Amino acid sequence: MLEEVENKAKDSNMPDFHILRAIVSHFQKLFDVPSLTGVYPRMNEVYTRLGELNNAVRNLQELLELDSSSSLCVLVSTVGKLCRLINEDVNEKIMQVLGPEDLQSIIRKLEEHEEFFPAFQAFTNDLLKILGKIFVREIDDLDAIVPAVRKLKILSY
C-alpha cells in the first residue's frame, strides 16, 4: 500500500503518506503482524475469518428464527437459554428414567468408589512391585497377580 501511495501522484482525495503508515502500523499491532510483508496475507485471513463468522451468525439467526438485525448479544443470550432448556430437559429425563432413589444410590456408589479406589490402587501397586522383585521381572498387569501368587504358594510347599 505504501509503495502504491509513493508511486502515485499526489491526489487531493488521497490521504498523505504518514496517515497511511500510521494505519498500517496500527493494523500490525492489532493483528500481531511483525513485518510489512505479512500485512496483506493477514488482511486476507482477517477478511476470510470475518466472512465465516458473519455466515455463522446469519445461520444461527435463521435457525433460531431471530431477526437479521438482532445483535450478537441477543443471539448469544438465545443460545444460552436454549442450552439451559436442553440441560434441564436432560436432567428431568434422567430423573424420570432412574428415579430419585436410583439416582441417590448411584451417587452413593460413586462416593464409595472414590473412598475405596485410592486404597485399592495403592495396595495393588505395592503388590505388583513386591511380586516383581520376587520373580525378578516386571509384573505390571493385574491379571498377572493371581498366577504369581499361585506360583508362590506352590513354591512354598
Side-chain angles (χ1 to χ4, degrees):
M1 283 177 15
L2 293 174
E3 289 174 5
E4 288 176 20
V5 170
E6 289 173 347
N7 293 336
K8 287 187 177 182
K10 287 286 183 180
D11 185 2
S12 61
N13 294 332
M14 177 77 82
D16 77 346
F17 178 77
H18 298 293
I19 293 173
L20 291 175
R21 173 175 241 135
I23 291 171
V24 171
S25 175
H26 186 65
F27 180 89
Q28 285 180 279
K29 287 177 188 170
L30 284 177
F31 296 100
D32 194 31
V33 183
S35 69
L36 200 56
T37 57
V39 170
Y40 275 128
R42 186 60 56 92
M43 280 182 172
N44 289 331
E45 183 183 327
V46 168
Y47 178 77
T48 302
R49 189 83 169 140
L50 180 63
E52 291 171 353
L53 291 173
N54 283 335
N55 286 336
V57 167
R58 274 194 301 276
N59 289 336
L60 283 172
Q61 286 171 333
E62 274 183 39
L63 286 171
L64 298 172
E65 298 178 1
L66 294 173
D67 184 60
S68 62
S69 64
S70 58
S71 69
L72 287 176
C73 185
V74 170
L75 179 63
V76 169
S77 174
T78 305
V79 169
K81 287 176 187 173
L82 183 61
C83 288
R84 277 192 299 282
L85 287 173
I86 290 170
N87 286 337
E88 288 171 5
D89 190 42
V90 167
N91 289 339
E92 188 177 309
K93 286 185 180 175
I94 289 173
M95 291 293 282
Q96 286 173 356
V97 170
L98 296 177
E101 295 81 24
D102 289 343
L103 196 56
Q104 285 304 318
S105 72
I106 291 170
I107 291 170
R108 213 171 10 277
K109 286 178 184 176
L110 285 172
E111 288 170 348
E112 288 171 5
H113 178 268
E114 285 178 1
E115 184 178 324
F116 171 74
F117 185 75
F120 175 77
Q121 187 176 18
F123 169 76
T124 306
N125 288 340
D126 289 344
L127 188 57
L128 288 170
K129 285 179 191 172
I130 291 168
L131 291 171
K133 288 179 183 176
I134 291 173
F135 290 106
V136 193
R137 67 177 177 87
E138 187 174 330
I139 296 178
D140 57 358
D141 187 2
L142 290 178
D143 295 333
I145 291 176
V146 172
V149 170
R150 282 188 183 134
K151 196 173 191 178
L152 275 176
K153 185 177 177 184
I154 291 171
L155 291 173
S156 69
Y157 287 125

